[in-house]
């Protein structure tokens, strides 16, 4: 596939027993720096907990010696939209249920999906993300609300949590939530209160944790997505 004049590669996993008459949700899985789309298919372990969905894992572009999602001039957004067009031409897709997840650069690209492509994405599950993939919602209001589940370790030195907090605050505002939170499962997650119905914001700050994927993420993200 070509997007923004560059060849792009992505991998697709259909659900077992795929039925072309049944519309399936689509989960984009963006890999971290140093990973690739093939690894992205399995590294987040969401599919075993949410099997009735189509999973898509694209390769990032090489930056230095590693692949990532810098989204220079919007090229990773263009790739995502081009993948969506191909998916909708080939498969039976539920266009109201596009989801995105990922860690590090993948979490950053998931924030970009929620901020810059809110016309497409229903919800995101971002792990240790930051505005390094061009997420614009701190300066530009998304076209529509997007449900958000996000986690970050407060001892992260690769992408400090201070980089993510303004993005979370922008979703809280855009989704009509108050600044009040209540404990959410699993601990230490909290859910912002008063959000527009169907557009929750859940923020899981892990005290003392570094740049890592928490053990509870797969089950929590799968559960979060499946409510929509």
């Amino acid at each position: 596939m070509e997007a923004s004049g560059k060849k792009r590669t992505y991998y697709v996993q259909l659900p077992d027993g795929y039925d072309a008459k049944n519309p399936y949700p689509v989960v984009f899985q963006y890999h971290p720096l140093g990973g690739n789309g093939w690894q992205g298919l399995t590294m987040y372990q969401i599919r075993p907990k949410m099997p009735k969905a189509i999973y898509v894992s694209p390769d990032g572009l090489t930056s230095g010696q590693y692949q990532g999602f810098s989204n220079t001039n919007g090229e990773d957004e263009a790739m995502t939209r081009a993948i969506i067009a191909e998916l909708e031409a080939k498969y039976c897709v539920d266009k109201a249920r596009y989801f995105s997840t990922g860690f590090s650069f993948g979490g950053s690209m998931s924030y970009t999906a929620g901020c810059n492509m809110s016309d497409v994405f229903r919800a995101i599950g971002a792990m240790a993300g930051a505005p390094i993939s061009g997420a614009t919602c701190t300066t530009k209001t998304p076209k529509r609300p997007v449900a958000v589940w996000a986690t970050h370790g407060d001892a992260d030195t690769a992408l400090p949590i201070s980089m993510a907090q303004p993005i979370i605050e922008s979703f809280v505002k855009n989704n009509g939530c108050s600044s009040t939170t209540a404990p959410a499962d699993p601990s230490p997650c909290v859910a912002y209160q008063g959000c527009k119905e169907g557009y929750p914001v859940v923020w899981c700050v892990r005290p003392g944790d570094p740049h890592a994927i928490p053990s509870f993420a797969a089950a929590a993200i799968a559960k979060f997505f499946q409510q929509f």
Side-chain angles (χ1 to χ4, degrees):
M1 184 196 73
E2 190 170 291
S4 299
K6 297 180 181 179
K7 184 181 178 184
R8 304 301 299 259
T9 300
Y10 66 96
Y11 302 89
V12 177
Q13 272 184 318
L14 297 178
D16 294 340
Y18 170 78
D19 178 358
K21 299 184 185 69
N22 179 56
Y24 291 92
V26 175
V27 181
F28 274 80
Q29 302 179 113
Y30 295 100
H31 65 76
L33 186 69
N36 57 52
W38 182 252
Q39 293 168 338
L41 282 177
T42 56
M43 72 181 302
Y44 301 130
Q45 289 298 301
I46 294 170
R47 186 173 183 259
K49 297 168 177 62
M50 184 180 169
K52 298 297 184 182
I54 297 170
Y55 286 82
V56 185
S57 298
D59 277 344
L61 290 170
T62 301
S63 176
Q65 68 182 114
Y66 297 117
Q67 293 183 141
F69 297 99
S70 298
N71 194 31
T72 305
N73 298 319
E75 59 194 1
D76 291 317
E77 290 176 56
M79 171 201 68
T80 299
R81 292 186 184 275
I83 291 172
I84 286 170
E86 288 196 352
L87 290 175
E88 292 180 358
K90 292 179 181 178
Y91 306 114
C92 190
V93 169
D94 184 342
K95 298 178 183 180
R97 290 193 292 164
Y98 278 101
F99 304 122
S100 175
T101 191
F103 164 67
S104 194
F105 239 144
S108 303
M109 192 61 203
S110 293
Y111 281 140
T112 297
C115 292
N116 305 17
M117 293 181 278
S118 64
D119 57 310
V120 175
F121 284 90
R122 179 64 179 82
I124 63 170
M127 297 173 277
I132 59 172
S133 298
T136 59
C137 49
T138 57
T139 57
K140 185 177 178 182
T141 303
K143 293 181 180 179
R144 64 182 189 186
V146 173
V148 176
W149 185 99
T151 186
H152 216 113
D154 68 4
D156 190 332
T157 55
L159 293 175
I161 195 170
S162 59
M163 298 176 73
Q165 191 67 46
I167 299 179
I168 297 301
E169 290 169 1
S170 72
F171 280 118
V172 169
K173 178 183 176 183
N174 294 333
N175 290 14
C177 316
S178 73
S179 58
T180 304
T181 61
D185 186 51
S187 180
C189 302
V190 297
Y192 284 87
Q193 301 297 287
C195 304
K196 294 174 186 175
E197 187 173 356
Y199 296 97
V201 177
V202 178
W203 183 219
C204 308
V205 176
R206 307 183 323 270
D209 270 11
H211 194 63
I213 298 173
S215 59
F216 59 76
I221 291 171
K223 183 178 179 181
F224 188 76
F225 289 167
Q226 287 177 99
Q227 71 184 293
F228 306 114

